[in-house]
Amino acid sequence: MSIIKDLLKEIVPKDIVIFGQENTRVFECDGLSAYKKKPLVVVLPENIEQIKQVLKICNLHNIPVITRGAGTGLSGGATPIEQSLVLGLSKFNKIKSVDVENRLAVVEPGVRNIVISETVKKYGLYYAPDPSSQIACTIGGNVAENSGGIHCLKYGLTIHNVEAIKIITIEGEEITFSRQDYGIGLLALLHGSEGLLGIIIEITVKLKPISQSSKLIMAGFNSVRDCANSVANIIKKGIIPAGLEMMDKFAIEAAENFAKVGYPLEANALLLCELDGDEQSVENEFKKTIEILSIASSIKVADEEKQISKLWKGRKSAFPAVGQISPDYYCMDGTIPRRYLADMLEQISKLSKKYNLAVANVFHAGDGNLHPLILYDANIAGELEKTEKFGMDILKLSVKFGGSITGEHGVGIEKLNAMCYQFTDKELDIFHKIKKVFDPKSLLNPGKAVPELHRCAELGAMHVNKGKLPHPEIERF
Amino acid sequence: MNDRITQLQKIVKESNSICINSEFLDYEGIVSYYPEELIITVKAGLIIKDMRKELNKNNQDLMFFVDDENISIGAAYANGGQDLSDSVLGVQIIDGNGNLLNFGGQVIKNVAGYDVSRLLVGSKGKLALITEISFKVLPNFYVEKLVKPLKQKASSKAHKVIEQKLKQVFDPKGIFK
Ligand SMILES: Cc1cc2nc3c(=O)[nH]c(=O)nc-3n(C[C@H](O)[C@H](O)[C@H](O)COP(=O)(O)OP(=O)(O)OC[C@H]3O[C@@H](n4cnc5c(N)ncnc54)[C@H](O)[C@@H]3O)c2cc1C
């Protein structure tokens, strides 16, 4: 392969260039393991110069570049494509500086999310967005996906917590985007761009002071509908919890079995509601919330950091927990307006019967972001296809309820078809043209995130009206 | 489809030069407002003062600093910066070809497609005609003490080049002046 020869000739040290069937195996997929492809070659650069050399060589040979953080993505964003080069940024793992006074930290893209909070804890600060994968996922990946987490209801998504980023374009140019830039929102455009527009090489994150006081209320419910409605009621009352998460019976059992944190196994639905701020406001919010939750069948309150993180641990390990009880699971990521939560759950449960596949529901209820986990066994012929059809039905429903096919996991390769339902051809065409502006030869993660128009045509997908009407006609089945 | 929108599309299709100004302000009003969702969708001509009046009835408010309450929300969006952008959830636009397009939506979290609804904040009417915008709002209690955002930095050459190319994406005939 002439590209490998070129890479080995240009790049010292040689051991950062990895090729051969066996050696590249760990890079063949991300967290969505149903899709796999071996790359031609993997490079794990140690400095910016090496990234630029790699890009130059790829440009010369027209080799697609798949940027990779920790590979925890759930939509195939970091999955290699045919004859591609994987650019792994795991060695860019330094926190370059912390500015305590201005509450900022400059970090390299390969820094793991949790390491930032661990590092600045001694200053009484933390980095707010906390994806459940935070012990593993990188901040570069977080920017590329505009990731969320349990505490995003009150503290925002990645975009709200980033001050500036530096990228390298496919042509090797370094450009910085910051919140203070004059003109259009280029910083926002790069957030959630899934490695298609540029390689993020430095991030200045905003830090927050650790709250004076927090309380976590765990409420068990007999009725799923009551639990879902409590979510809307809490927010209606003018309370913004730091986190507001919901799990159904299946997820409660799986998480408890895995993490042993004391979840109520007799409940049909569980609500975790964290309140934080100064002591006075937490106390006020607490009183109001407890009143709303008086319809719950069980209540437990935690107010020490250790207890609180223990209760969160069950929720944060819900995916691996479900992974332990089922050979495979398929995680959906639709968002809907909160007022339809209970309806949506009913629809999912009907679909679960129709497809004869079990579903565990864990989700960021406060954000209306659902993660139904469809349980299946890839070794049973046809079951993956059935699962994907089921998943697509859920995503179509999300769009019908006026929501989106993805709240935080991104489109990747997984949701290309679903994109055809959410956007019209003209809107998709704008996306393609935006990519061209940054990457004229389409070498950065090509074919991901935005479907080709002919794909939508072949699918026969009619884009669904995005809940433009105040009372969209919701299909009942 | 809304008559005025169809009319605006026609105007854009038939013009070769448009300066988006107060003439377009008659497209105003609230499209939808769900206090329990913390989301409001408005037509771009709506005067901010009127928008806030509606929000305040529900003890809610905008999350960004407003310099002048008497301008339209569309103008604030077109001249806004990152602090306004932070609460934008979705946008409906008419591009330079007269196409009516929707990006983002009426949900808090949405990463489908590039974030065009935040990209166009600060576009000064030069990329597209903004017709409707969805915002996240907050209960008054949580709206932090808002301060005037820092002065913006002048664009670098690289930014100007990108912005120029993006103008061609949205307005290939260059009609928005
Ligand atoms: C158990 C589990 C729980 C999860 N929980 C959450 C959650 O709560 N919230 C949430 O939002 N996500 C969650 N995720 C999804 C995933 O962790 C996030 O999407 C995360 O941001 C991906 O980071 P990563 O470093 O692993 O990126 P990767 O998977 O390596 O890459 C993701 C995408 O970003 C691109 N990319 C990565 N780094 C860069 C860079 N430096 N420059 C340009 N492009 C880049 C890649 O090309 C790819 O398209 C979860 C995943 C798992 C497995």
Side-chain angles (χ1 to χ4, degrees):
Chain A
M1 282 301 160
S2 63
I3 166 135
I4 297 179
K5 240 193 274 156
D6 271 13
L7 286 166
L8 291 173
K9 200 168 73 196
E10 296 286 330
I11 293 183
V12 272
K14 312 273 171 267
D15 59 349
I16 67 168
V17 181
I18 298 164
F19 53 93
Q21 287 287 324
E22 272 317 302
N23 301 336
T24 56
R25 188 183 294 278
V26 289
F27 299 95
E28 69 186 358
C29 67
D30 64 3
L32 180 73
S33 55
Y35 296 85
K36 288 194 172 100
K37 182 106 244 148
K38 290 217 176 57
L40 194 59
V41 56
V42 178
V43 184
L44 304 177
E46 288 160 343
N47 57 52
I48 304 289
E49 262 336 290
Q50 289 169 351
I51 297 182
K52 287 186 180 170
Q53 278 169 334
V54 172
L55 293 179
K56 202 166 139 192
I57 293 167
C58 287
N59 226 329
L60 193 73
H61 293 269
N62 288 321
I63 298 289
V65 180
I66 317 295
T67 310
R68 185 180 178 98
T72 69
L74 290 171
S75 54
T79 304
I81 60 168
E82 200 70 53
Q83 298 291 308
S84 63
L85 175 143
V86 168
L87 186 68
L89 297 180
S90 53
K91 291 181 178 167
F92 285 80
N93 60 1
K94 277 175 235 36
I95 297 197
K96 292 170 126 179
S97 63
V98 179
D99 176 348
V100 177
E101 198 183 335
N102 292 307
R103 295 183 184 150
L104 297 171
V106 181
V107 306
E108 292 183 341
V111 169
R112 287 178 296 122
N113 174 298
I114 202 167
V115 171
I116 303 177
S117 291
E118 284 171 355
T119 307
V120 300
K121 191 172 178 193
K122 55 176 178 280
Y123 308 115
L125 300 171
Y126 76 111
Y127 174 67
D130 56 343
S132 302
S133 51
Q134 70 185 137
I135 49 167
C137 66
T138 69
I139 186 74
N142 292 173
V143 174
E145 299 282 9
N146 193 16
S147 296
I150 281 166
H151 292 98
C152 286
L153 176 59
K154 188 165 177 184
Y155 296 110
L157 307 167
T158 303
I159 175 73
H160 302 108
N161 291 279
V162 166
E163 182 65 28
I165 60 171
K166 192 192 279 182
I167 67 160
I168 300 188
T169 66
I170 185 70
E171 267 119 21
E173 186 185 4
E174 288 182 36
I175 311 178
T176 302
F177 302 105
S178 88
R179 297 179 74 85
Q180 262 67 56
D181 289 343
Y182 178 84
I184 57 176
L186 296 173
L187 180 69
L189 177 64
L190 265 295
H191 278 76
S193 62
E194 301 193 21
L196 272 77
L197 301 183
I199 292 142
I200 300 151
I201 53 161
E202 189 182 284
I203 302 103
T204 306
V205 295
K206 300 207 280 185
L207 305 170
K208 288 208 152 68
I210 296 171
S211 283
Q212 235 181 44
S213 159
S214 5
K215 263 193 174 39
L216 180 70
I217 309 171
M218 177 171 84
F221 289 82
N222 289 327
S223 141
V224 176
R225 190 166 270 276
D226 284 351
C227 184
N229 288 339
S230 299
V231 170
N233 288 338
I234 289 171
I235 293 175
K236 214 188 250 167
K237 253 270 142 70
I239 299 164
I240 309 280
L244 191 56
E245 300 280 316
M246 186 172 157
M247 299 163 82
D248 70 0
K249 189 169 187 64
F250 208 149
I252 301 168
E253 280 168 3
E256 179 58 24
N257 182 36
F258 185 86
K260 311 250 177 326
V261 289
Y263 286 170
L265 288 169
E266 68 289 349
N268 286 317
L270 185 73
L271 192 67
L272 291 163
C273 173
E274 184 176 342
L275 306 167
D276 74 356
D278 59 62
E279 264 168 47
Q280 187 59 49
S281 60
V282 171
E283 221 27 68
N284 285 343
E285 287 176 344
F286 180 70
K287 277 194 201 120
K288 288 192 213 164
T289 311
I290 282 290
E291 214 180 286
I292 295 166
L293 294 178
S294 62
I295 51 165
S297 54
S298 71
I299 292 271
K300 185 173 168 178
V301 180
D303 49 16
E304 275 168 34
E305 193 195 320
K306 266 216 181 99
Q307 283 176 300
I308 292 177
S309 32
K310 188 173 157 198
L311 289 179
W312 275 134
K313 192 173 158 236
R315 163 63 187 87
K316 288 194 179 183
S317 51
F319 292 3
V322 168
Q324 215 177 43
I325 56 169
S326 170
D328 299 282
Y329 69 87
Y330 186 41
C331 172
M332 309 312 297
D333 179 41
T335 58
I336 53 164
R338 265 186 298 266
R339 62 187 178 282
Y340 296 129
L341 268 180
D343 290 336
M344 182 68 169
L345 285 173
E346 253 169 49
Q347 298 289 339
I348 291 176
S349 133
K350 278 185 195 157
L351 285 168
S352 165
K353 289 199 187 89
K354 177 179 153 190
Y355 284 98
N356 196 22
L357 290 168
V359 177
N361 280 295
V362 288
F363 45 85
H364 310 298
D367 297 319
N369 187 189
L370 300 111
H371 292 321
L373 305 172
I374 306 174
L375 279 54
Y376 73 102
D377 183 349
N379 288 324
I380 300 177
E383 196 146 299
L384 174 62
E385 290 71 25
K386 194 163 84 166
T387 304
E388 286 181 328
K389 259 186 93 183
F390 183 179
M392 183 64 100
D393 281 351
I394 295 178
L395 296 187
K396 280 192 211 167
L397 269 173
S398 304
V399 179
K400 275 200 185 152
F401 276 114
S404 170
I405 57 165
T406 172
E408 57 179 18
H409 295 164
V411 174
I413 40 180
E414 180 213 4
K415 301 183 198 80
L416 286 170
N417 286 348
M419 283 289 280
C420 306
Y421 294 97
Q422 189 167 336
F423 293 98
T424 63
D425 281 4
K426 293 204 165 99
E427 289 154 359
L428 294 172
D429 187 47
I430 294 267
F431 292 149
H432 285 300
K433 286 178 173 150
I434 290 175
K435 176 162 176 61
K436 277 256 153 68
V437 166
F438 287 82
D439 178 20
K441 283 161 71 179
S442 204
L443 292 177
L444 293 174
N445 223 357
K448 307 270 184 81
V450 185
E452 294 298 333
L453 299 185
H454 66 79
R455 185 188 186 114
C456 296
E458 280 156 26
L459 194 70
M462 272 289 291
H463 119 272
V464 191
N465 192 317
K466 283 163 260 181
K468 267 272 131 188
L469 311 162
H471 301 289
E473 274 305 305
I474 309 296
E475 206 172 88
R476 309 275 162 180
F477 48 82
Chain B
M1 181 47 64
N2 187 306
D3 286 348
R4 180 60 179 151
I5 288 286
T6 318
Q7 229 176 25
L8 288 170
Q9 283 183 271
K10 195 158 171 270
I11 295 175
V12 171
K13 273 189 189 135
E14 289 169 0
S15 313
N16 44 34
S17 172
I18 291 183
C19 178
I20 300 169
N21 54 23
S22 50
E23 173 196 339
F24 295 92
L25 281 185
D26 65 335
Y27 192 65
E28 60 109 8
I30 292 172
V31 180
S32 66
Y33 174 30
Y34 297 98
E36 76 277 20
E37 302 280 349
L38 307 174
I39 295 172
I40 187 168
T41 301
V42 296
K43 298 179 186 174
L46 182 64
I47 300 300
I48 295 180
K49 203 203 252 164
D50 298 333
M51 183 173 173
R52 291 186 70 191
K53 211 183 278 166
E54 211 48 47
L55 293 170
N56 289 339
K57 277 187 205 160
N58 290 285
N59 295 318
Q60 296 186 345
D61 209 342
L62 296 171
M63 291 163 65
F64 52 88
F65 180 83
V66 177
D67 219 357
D68 179 1
E69 275 206 324
N70 297 309
I71 63 169
S72 70
I73 188 68
Y77 175 98
N79 293 293
Q82 192 62 44
D83 69 319
L84 179 144
S85 160
D86 279 345
S87 59
V88 170
L89 300 175
V91 72
Q92 183 194 62
I93 63 168
I94 297 174
D95 72 5
N97 292 321
N99 295 321
L100 186 68
L101 309 171
N102 283 288
F103 297 100
Q106 285 92 45
V107 277
I108 304 283
K109 287 166 87 177
N110 185 355
V111 293
Y114 300 119
D115 196 348
V116 173
S117 65
R118 292 195 177 107
L119 170 69
L120 294 178
V121 173
S123 57
K124 316 247 174 345
K126 293 204 164 93
L127 268 66
L129 175 62
I130 313 296
T131 51
E132 292 179 11
I133 314 165
S134 299
F135 288 96
K136 180 179 175 187
V137 294
L138 278 183
N140 282 322
F141 176 76
Y142 295 94
V143 178
E144 287 167 49
K145 217 171 154 289
L146 297 170
V147 285
K148 199 177 164 123
L150 296 175
K151 203 172 147 33
Q152 292 175 327
K153 280 189 297 203
S155 306
S156 69
K157 188 163 164 258
H159 287 197
K160 281 186 189 148
V161 171
I162 296 171
E163 191 159 339
Q164 195 48 44
K165 287 185 188 164
L166 285 170
K167 176 170 170 66
Q168 279 161 23
V169 170
F170 288 90
D171 180 22
K173 294 181 286 186
I175 64 166
F176 295 121
K177 304 294 177 197

